[in-house]
Amino acid sequence: MTASEQIRSHRIGFIGAGNLAQSILRAFLDSGFVDREQIVISNRNERKLERVSRDFQIRAAKTNEEVIDFSDIVIIGVKPQDFYQCIEPIAHAFNSDQIIISLAAGISLQSVQKLIPNSQKILRVMPTTAAKIKESVIAYAATAAVKPHLQWINELLSTMGIVVPVEDGEMMRSILVGASSGIGFVYELMIYWQEWLEEHDIDAKTARNVTIQTFRAAAAMAGHESETPLSELQRKVVSLKGVTAAGLDSMRELEIERALRISFEKAAMRDQELGSTFVPV
Ligand SMILES: NC(=O)c1ccc[n+]([C@@H]2O[C@H](COP(=O)([O-])OP(=O)(O)OC[C@H]3O[C@@H](n4cnc5c(N)ncnc54)[C@H](OP(=O)(O)O)[C@@H]3O)[C@@H](O)[C@H]2O)c1
């Protein structure tokens, strides 16, 4: 069977109809790999469930058990702080053939496995909010039993962006900080960019557009010349004793790199801290 036939042969259930679940649904359905009839979804708040099931024209389940009964793949999209409370009472309902995908930040593969002892095929998948525009980085770690399924699962996840297989733990945390929190960090820089332009006689709308285009251009050029190291691309836009050189010298004197490194480490430490509080197993 081809990867797309494999995808089509699996029923996909979502527990939790929140922001990320909806972004994933949008990516899956728009890709054409997944049909509406393959999907079922549940949610704690019934009104949201009704809205999501109407918007996406997919089947709504009255209970989380109903999702588990229907599905070959169960995607758990509840917040990390709700994870234990949601899954512990229904853990017995999963069977060992089902593929379980946990989206919860900070909850390790091992914790999910302990919480659902019947399960063997578990993935921890970490997309970013950019899944909704199919520009996400999607890191995943999987148990050994998932290995025979990885080709078509990769294909399914790639409907949201670029897929990066990782080991759970340090590698997953690095991608979480660099890519998921990373979007927040880049926005922090973009805010300063826009503000500086506005303070220097550029109207707010133009300042925003210039900021967006500058970040987009840097990323697009780096993507275009994907074999060229970033430091070399940077050298190409700097002339000796020129304007860009003056700004870069100042950034280095002010130790922007050090400030960013410390911030990344703090974010990684927070992920580690939170992880140990969510699932008491
Ligand atoms: N958003 C992101 O960019 C992002 C990125 C990476 C990872 N994640 C992870 O993805 C997960 C979801 O995040 P989110 O931003 O999509 O959160 P969210 O919008 O709050 O969605 C969570 C959904 O889970 C539902 N829920 C909670 N307990 C439930 C239960 N017992 N049974 C059924 N549904 C239940 C909530 O229902 P109510 O309507 O009642 O609140 C809510 O709709 C989190 O674990 C987060 O760590 C998110």
Side-chain angles (χ1 to χ4, degrees):
M1 258 201 274
T2 64
S4 85
E5 285 165 345
Q6 294 262 33
I7 294 170
R8 258 180 227 288
S9 70
H10 288 83
R11 288 171 300 182
I12 305 172
F14 286 81
I15 295 180
N19 294 317
L20 188 59
Q22 291 178 51
S23 298
I24 295 174
L25 269 170
R26 176 57 58 223
F28 282 3
L29 291 172
D30 286 355
S31 73
F33 282 143
V34 177
D35 289 330
R36 290 186 159 72
E37 295 69 33
Q38 279 174 257
I39 299 176
V40 67
I41 193 160
S42 63
N43 194 60
R44 185 174 52 191
N45 174 311
E46 279 179 30
R47 296 235 326 253
K48 191 197 278 181
L49 178 63
E50 274 169 30
R51 181 178 58 72
V52 172
S53 107
R54 194 180 52 243
D55 286 355
F56 288 91
Q57 296 182 320
I58 53 173
R59 178 178 150 185
K62 287 197 176 61
T63 63
N64 295 335
E65 284 94 329
E66 196 182 321
V67 171
I68 299 170
D69 287 347
F70 172 88
S71 311
D72 306 303
I73 308 171
V74 180
I75 301 180
I76 307 171
V78 305
K79 287 266 193 221
Q81 56 269 34
D82 294 325
F83 196 89
Y84 184 78
Q85 219 178 5
C86 170
I87 300 303
E88 198 270 338
I90 54 170
H92 63 275
F94 290 92
N95 68 60
S96 59
D97 283 335
Q98 280 170 322
I99 296 172
I100 299 172
I101 295 185
S102 165
L103 303 172
I107 297 179
S108 70
L109 209 51
Q110 205 183 12
S111 297
V112 181
Q113 212 161 14
K114 280 192 187 159
L115 189 57
I116 313 173
N118 296 338
S119 64
Q120 287 171 4
K121 300 175 189 164
I122 308 175
L123 290 104
R124 189 179 162 200
V125 175
M126 190 57 55
T128 73
T129 35
K132 65 180 162 206
I133 55 162
K134 290 127 196 125
E135 292 284 359
S136 176
V137 169
I138 307 105
Y140 77 79
T143 56
V146 182
K147 213 171 171 198
H149 304 276
L150 280 181
Q151 203 195 347
W152 65 264
I153 288 177
N154 252 296
E155 193 86 13
L156 180 64
L157 297 179
S158 70
T159 59
M160 294 183 272
I162 293 173
V163 180
V164 184
V166 294
E167 296 291 327
D168 203 15
E170 187 74 22
M171 279 177 89
M172 179 65 89
R173 185 168 303 116
S174 310
I175 302 284
L176 169 73
V177 171
S180 201
S181 307
I183 291 182
F185 301 159
V186 171
Y187 279 144
E188 182 76 9
L189 300 180
M190 291 175 79
I191 291 165
Y192 306 150
W193 234 265
Q194 178 176 344
E195 278 175 2
W196 187 86
L197 288 163
E198 284 182 53
E199 283 158 17
H200 291 78
D201 297 345
I202 308 294
D203 68 83
K205 191 167 176 230
T206 309
R208 184 187 158 99
N209 287 340
V210 169
T211 302
I212 292 169
Q213 188 57 23
T214 306
F215 278 76
R216 185 186 279 149
M221 287 194 294
H224 189 67
E225 293 190 45
S226 58
E227 301 298 317
T228 312
L230 294 177
S231 54
E232 201 175 314
L233 289 176
Q234 189 188 45
R235 269 196 297 278
K236 285 187 191 175
V237 297
V238 184
S239 27
L240 197 66
K241 298 202 169 141
V243 177
T244 313
L248 284 173
D249 285 349
S250 175
M251 283 184 191
R252 286 162 192 163
E253 263 167 41
L254 292 166
E255 298 194 77
I256 304 278
E257 181 189 355
R258 185 163 166 272
L260 285 175
R261 277 181 186 276
I262 293 171
S263 311
F264 278 43
E265 292 301 334
K266 288 242 163 101
M269 277 159 58
R270 183 68 183 140
D271 178 62
Q272 211 159 6
E273 257 168 38
L274 288 177
S276 56
T277 61
F278 293 137
V279 180
V281 287

